[in-house]
Amino acid sequence: GYSDGSIAIFNTKIDSKPEKVFYPHGSVSGNSPIFQLQWFNTEPEPYFIFSGGYPEGDGFGKQCITIHNSRTTNLLSFTDSIINFLCLPSTPFITDVQQMNALVVLTENDLIVHDLQSQSFPTFTLPFSFDIHTSPVTTLHYCGKCPDDFVAELQSVLSKMPQKLKSIKRWPLRGGKWG
């Protein structure tokens, strides 16, 4: 990606001009820079996932990620600025044909994971229920003898709250330790 919002594709065997230069958001001038770009060798054609490259003054700033191939362009919008993102492909080897499994996005206040195998790219339900950067918790109170049905009732109330489109797949990140 370039500072003019374009993406260039080079043939690594020929040291010359790019084979293709395109502006995924359509405008040839007045675009914001592409801040981060990842390319994936998927079938039947490659995908580009990037932030930035939007027409100036569109209001997107650093709050959107674009998923682009030659047929479709999808825009994922976030409430906070994007710090970083990482796609979890089906294989760690870049020369293999890959399938995009999930997109992990770190924003200023959240860790959001999108299911890229499902239509509309729903989010995964987080395995934790707190903001990773600043906690809204101001006090804790331990109750040692809660009724047996307390947790079940709490889960029932939480399940009735309105939710965004959620993936039904298992959380895609593995490993690590608590504490």
Side-chain angles (χ1 to χ4, degrees), residues 47 67 72 74-76 100-101 113-124 164-169:
Y47 268 86
I67 301 172
T72 62
N74 294 286
L75 192 66
L76 301 176
M100 300 180 305
N101 290 334
V113 182
H114 284 273
D115 178 359
L116 297 181
Q117 292 290 311
S118 300
Q119 192 171 1
S120 301
F121 308 130
T123 58
F124 284 93
K164 295 179 186 177
L165 183 62
K166 297 289 182 182
S167 176
I168 59 172
K169 295 183 180 173

Side-chain angles (χ1 to χ4, degrees), residues 2 4 11 29-30 32 36 46 49 56 79 105 112 116 127 141 160:
Y2 289 99
D4 66 352
N11 182 340
S29 63
S32 65
Q36 184 178 351
I49 300 177
E56 292 289 340
T79 55
V105 181
I112 302 154
L116 297 181
H141 181 76
K160 293 176 185 173

Side-chain angles (χ1 to χ4, degrees):
Y2 289 99
S3 61
D4 66 352
S6 67
I7 294 176
I9 300 172
F10 289 87
N11 182 340
T12 58
K13 295 177 183 174
I14 301 172
D15 230 5
S16 65
K17 299 187 310 183
E19 286 186 0
K20 180 179 179 183
V21 176
F22 64 98
Y23 294 83
H25 290 290
S27 177
V28 176
S29 63
N31 295 322
S32 65
I34 291 180
F35 304 109
Q36 184 178 351
L37 170 74
Q38 290 187 348
W39 171 83
F40 294 95
N41 183 25
T42 56
E43 287 292 337
E45 59 190 319
Y47 268 86
F48 299 91
I49 300 177
F50 60 93
S51 64
Y54 315 108
E56 292 289 340
D58 63 5
F60 290 131
K62 290 187 174 186
Q63 295 177 313
C64 292
I65 290 179
T66 303
I67 301 172
H68 175 83
N69 68 12
S70 67
R71 292 175 286 139
T72 62
T73 299
N74 294 286
L75 192 66
L76 301 176
S77 179
F78 302 89
T79 55
D80 297 309
S81 292
I82 296 164
I83 305 295
N84 202 352
F85 68 87
L86 174 70
C87 188
L88 303 178
S90 57
T91 174
F93 306 107
I94 198 157
T95 55
D96 289 350
V97 174
Q98 301 169 342
Q99 294 300 316
M100 300 180 305
N101 290 334
L103 178 66
V104 181
V105 181
L106 177 65
T107 69
E108 288 178 334
N109 292 309
D110 282 316
L111 179 71
I112 302 154
V113 182
H114 284 273
D115 178 359
L116 297 181
Q117 292 290 311
S118 300
Q119 192 171 1
S120 301
F121 308 130
T123 58
F124 284 93
T125 301
L126 297 174
F128 50 85
S129 60
F130 56 88
D131 187 325
I132 63 172
H133 295 293
T134 57
S135 176
V137 177
T138 58
T139 186
L140 296 174
H141 181 76
Y142 174 74
C143 299
K145 293 186 178 183
C146 293
D148 292 337
D149 59 349
F150 175 74
V151 173
E153 187 63 29
L154 182 60
Q155 288 175 334
S156 172
V157 169
L158 290 173
S159 70
K160 293 176 185 173
M161 294 178 71
Q163 298 205 0
K164 295 179 186 177
L165 183 62
K166 297 289 182 182
S167 176
I168 59 172
K169 295 183 180 173
R170 188 174 165 205
W171 179 251
L173 301 174
R174 308 275 184 277
K177 292 182 182 179
W178 285 104

